[in-house]
Structure formats: structure tokens, C-alpha cells
Amino acid sequence: METHISCLFPEILAMIFSYLDVRDKGRVAQVCIAWRDASYHKSVWRGVEAKLHLRRANPSLFPSLQARGIRRVQILSLRRSLSYVIQGMPNIESLNLSGCYNLTDNGLGHAFVQEIPSLRVLNLSLCKQITDSSLGRIAQYLKNLEVLELGGCSNITNTGLLLIAWGLHRLKSLNLRSCRHVSDVGIGHLAGMTRSAAEGCLNLEYLTLQDCQKLTDLSLKHISKGLTKLRVLNLSFCGGISDAGMIHLSHMTSLWNLNLRSCDNISDTGTMHLAMGTLRLSGLDVSFCDKIGDQTLAYIAQGLYQLKSLSLCSCHISDDGINRMVRQMHELRTLNIGQCVRITDKGLELIADHLTQLVGIDLYGCTKITKRGLERITQLPCLKVLNLGLWQMTESEKVR
């Protein structure tokens, strides 16, 4: 027997280990398999989460998990049929298979042979052998799925998204990070642009499209028309979208977090489009957008002043831009301006005078700031997080 299931050991052991810090848990985990599994035992919202190594799994173990109220399962390694888990736990709610590199369409097909109405969360991140065929099974048998993680599943295509749009109408969260074959056509399927073939995933609230290089502004048009309930949109590293695409997003009133990190074709003009719309954004990330400068800060102050989190790392902003923004940003809690090498003590003084609700600020790589500016920043009444990596002081300026 080589199957190791943490929750089969006495709960008292897990309870004792729960008081240990991360370092001591690591030491305990080296003693034996039983202690390792108990040290990472986790309580969750409903019941307990089981972490499994499927090697020579005994199918009789899984009904015992069901009897203990286990509803959430993470498979750490997979060398035996996944069907044992599914058959033994008919009321499973969450299945995490992330990183199971040897999971294939065939293996998933043997596991999903009938409807599993209880399953709400499925994580297939980095399961690189999974293709559209598996998405067909998922769409057919997991009708109540609300969260689907496909990050790094590089064999997924627009056909797979059509299948998702056909069968998973209750989906609220979808991660397609680095799905390199996905294009505007696939996003159109999700947004219900092909109603004759698929209704679409119109209840989506969280959509991650990070590093989907084939996407263009047409995808943003589809999203704005069909995914009107979207709250969080991650477009980081999507080099094919541009300022024009921001016009489509600018009137999505439900959207509260937008990530445009490393989108090379986004400039001050794109920010202008966002600011002139009806957005009520709470978080915006335009870090590493080389065409973003001080004018963006002026636009933000005019139309996006309700932001609570703003990331501008490595953007071409200066003290002048800070001066044009700070007086309107009364709700800002987090400001990331790391590697903005034109920021000086003057900028920090403006931040300290006006952004009095700041909880966190990133000044990593801001090489022109000195002790004087830092002393002003540290006087912010709510400040809890201050990142100063790569900041250097002269010998006369060194402070703790």
C-alpha cells in the first residue's frame, strides 16, 4: 500500500501540528509520510480537504473519505486511475489536479462517465496533455461547474472554448493563462457571439487571459457585449490588445479590477479611454507598460479617482505626474511605483501629504529617493507595508 491520505490519521495529530510555524512544519514533514501529511492537513469551509498520492490506490479508501465529510480533494501525484476518486466520492465538490502532468484525455474520460452535479471547482492547471476532448467531457457531465482552471493547458483551442460555452452555463471563474491557441473566435464563443452553436458563459465574473498572445481588441469587444457580469479581467502580457480596445471596456460598469500589466501597446491614450467611460474600477495595474507616463496619472485623477489599488511599476512617471494625481485619490490604499526611477523625495512628500489612507507602497528600485522622503512616507498613519528593495543610502543617511 503506497497511498497516503492525511485525513486517515487521527485528527489530534493534525491539530497539534497546526500550531507550528512554516519552518517547524517543514521539519516535522521530514520525519515520515504520516507526519508529513498530518502537518499539511487543512480545515476548509465544508469538511476537510484530502491530499492524495494515487499510486496503488485501494478503492475502498474513498468511501471512508465520503463518510468523514470530505468534499474537497487535491491529487498530488497520479499514477493510477482517477476514476477511483470519482466513483468513491459521488458528492465531491472540488477536485484539484494541478500539476498532474501525466493526466490524459483517456484518463479523464474514464473518470467522467456520468453527471456529477455536486462538483463546483475543477483545477487542471499545467495538465499539459489535456485537449479539447476533455473539455467536451467536462461540458457534458459537469454542468454545475462554477470554477475551471486551465492555466498552462497549451493544447486547448477555440473548439474547446466552444464546448465550454455550450455546456457550462453556470461558470463564474475561468483561467486560460498561456493557452496559446485561443484567439478572438474562442472569446466570442464564451461571450455568446455564436448563439446558434452555444449560449455562452454569460455568468462569468472572473476571467484570466494572461499571455494569450493571439487575442486582439476584437476579444475585448466580445467581452464588453456578452460578459456583462465580469468583475475581474486579467489581460497581462497580451501584446495584441491596444488603446482602441479600452474603448470597449470603458463602459463595463460591473468591472472592478483590470490587469494590463506588460501590455506593450497600451499608452496614455488607453488610460484616457478608460477614464472617460463609466467604469467604477477598484484596482488597475499598468505596470511595465512602456508607453504609460504622467498624462495617465492626470486621467486617473479625472475619471478613475475611486481606485483603491494602483500599480505603475516601471512606468515613465515623475513627481509632476504624482502632483497631478494625489489630490483626487482619497480612497487609494495600495500604490506600487517600484522601478519608477524619476520619482524623488518631492514625489514622496506629495504622497505623504495627500494619500493619507495608504496601507501599502512599493518603492522598489526608486533610486532617487533619500532618507528625507522616506521619513515622510513612514509617517503615514495607516501604512503597514513598505517595500524598499534596491534602495541605497549613503553612509550618513543610514537609518534602521
Side-chain angles (χ1 to χ4, degrees):
M1 174 70 65
E2 294 185 24
T3 300
H4 316 301
I5 305 177
S6 61
C7 58
L8 293 183
F9 287 86
E11 282 78 1
I12 188 66
L13 190 60
M15 182 183 70
I16 293 172
F17 290 165
S18 69
Y19 292 99
L20 301 178
D21 59 25
V22 174
R23 183 178 62 179
D24 289 337
K25 280 185 178 181
R27 291 173 177 170
V28 164
Q30 297 177 41
V31 174
C32 65
I33 291 174
W35 282 34
R36 180 199 64 191
D37 292 341
S39 67
Y40 293 110
H41 185 282
K42 297 191 299 182
S43 294
V44 293
W45 176 53
R46 295 183 65 180
V48 182
E49 179 178 8
K51 294 188 175 184
L52 316 178
H53 293 269
L54 290 188
R55 294 190 179 101
R56 297 174 185 169
N58 185 346
S60 65
L61 294 174
F62 299 106
S64 69
L65 294 178
Q66 182 87 7
R68 288 169 175 261
I70 304 299
R71 299 290 184 270
R72 301 164 62 95
V73 175
Q74 179 179 1
I75 307 298
L76 300 178
S77 60
L78 183 66
R79 299 182 186 176
R80 195 66 185 270
S81 176
L82 179 63
S83 59
Y84 286 153
V85 179
I86 304 302
Q87 293 170 8
M89 303 183 66
N91 295 322
I92 187 171
E93 295 177 358
S94 174
L95 178 59
N96 187 344
L97 294 160
S98 59
C100 290
Y101 302 105
N102 55 342
L103 179 65
T104 64
D105 291 334
N106 190 44
L108 207 62
H110 287 152
F112 297 149
V113 294
Q114 60 183 13
E115 289 192 8
I116 310 175
S118 61
L119 193 59
R120 300 289 193 275
V121 180
L122 178 61
N123 190 337
L124 297 174
S125 300
L126 297 175
C127 295
K128 294 181 178 293
Q129 296 190 59
I130 294 300
T131 72
D132 297 336
S133 175
S134 287
L135 296 188
R137 284 274 182 174
I138 291 168
Q140 183 178 2
Y141 294 123
L142 308 182
K143 297 289 189 181
N144 292 329
L145 208 61
E146 296 179 359
V147 178
L148 180 58
E149 298 282 338
L150 296 172
C153 295
S154 52
N155 289 316
I156 299 300
T157 73
N158 294 328
T159 300
L161 298 193
L162 177 61
L163 293 167
I164 290 175
W166 166 76
L168 302 182
H169 301 150
R170 298 189 179 184
L171 203 62
K172 294 182 179 180
S173 177
L174 177 62
N175 188 338
L176 297 171
R177 176 182 54 82
S178 298
C179 291
R180 60 189 180 188
H181 298 300
V182 169
S183 70
D184 299 332
V185 174
I187 303 304
H189 294 326
L190 294 177
M193 297 296 108
T194 51
R195 291 293 181 90
S196 59
E199 181 179 328
C201 300
L202 307 186
N203 290 310
L204 272 178
E205 297 179 8
Y206 304 86
L207 180 60
T208 297
L209 299 173
Q210 176 182 340
D211 195 30
C212 292
Q213 295 295 328
K214 290 188 175 182
L215 301 187
T216 72
D217 294 334
L218 181 57
S219 285
L220 305 189
K221 182 178 181 180
H222 293 328
I223 289 170
S224 66
K225 285 188 173 182
L227 303 181
T228 57
K229 296 181 180 180
L230 206 61
R231 301 174 63 193
V232 177
L233 178 59
N234 186 342
L235 296 167
S236 57
F237 298 93
C238 289
I241 65 172
S242 71
D243 293 332
M246 300 303 102
I247 299 175
H248 301 303
L249 300 183
S250 65
H251 295 288
M252 295 188 67
T253 54
S254 63
L255 194 65
W256 62 269
N257 192 292
L258 178 61
N259 190 337
L260 299 170
R261 188 182 187 92
S262 294
C263 292
D264 296 334
N265 292 313
I266 297 298
S267 70
D268 295 333
T269 302
T271 314
M272 177 191 69
H273 293 320
L274 295 176
M276 291 178 63
T278 55
L279 287 172
R280 295 193 292 268
L281 284 181
S282 175
L284 176 64
D285 189 344
V286 290
S287 298
F288 302 100
C289 294
D290 293 339
K291 299 176 182 177
I292 293 289
D294 286 337
Q295 190 59 47
T296 279
L297 300 188
Y299 292 138
I300 287 174
Q302 293 171 12
L304 299 173
Y305 48 82
Q306 73 283 358
L307 284 173
K308 290 182 170 61
S309 175
L310 176 61
S311 293
L312 296 154
C313 296
S314 198
C315 291
H316 298 292
I317 61 172
S318 67
D319 298 336
D320 181 59
I322 297 293
N323 184 43
R324 298 164 75 178
M325 178 187 72
V326 290
R327 291 172 179 80
Q328 306 300 324
M329 307 296 289
H330 304 300
E331 297 184 36
L332 198 63
R333 301 293 185 270
T334 302
L335 178 62
N336 297 325
I337 52 175
Q339 301 182 60
C340 295
V341 295
R342 298 168 63 194
I343 300 296
T344 71
D345 290 341
K346 179 182 177 181
L348 297 193
E349 290 168 4
L350 287 165
I351 291 170
D353 287 341
H354 299 284
L355 302 182
T356 55
Q357 300 302 310
L358 272 188
V359 175
I361 185 168
D362 177 14
L363 299 173
Y364 174 91
C366 294
T367 54
K368 290 187 178 180
I369 62 176
T370 70
K371 172 186 173 182
R372 187 184 71 178
L374 287 179
E375 285 179 341
R376 293 296 306 277
I377 286 293
T378 55
Q379 292 172 7
L380 283 166
C382 302
L383 193 67
K384 295 180 180 179
V385 179
L386 173 60
N387 184 9
L388 291 174
L390 292 185
W391 179 72
Q392 296 183 358
M393 295 177 288
T394 64
E395 287 297 322
S396 61
E397 290 177 333
K398 284 184 177 178
V399 292
R400 294 190 64 180

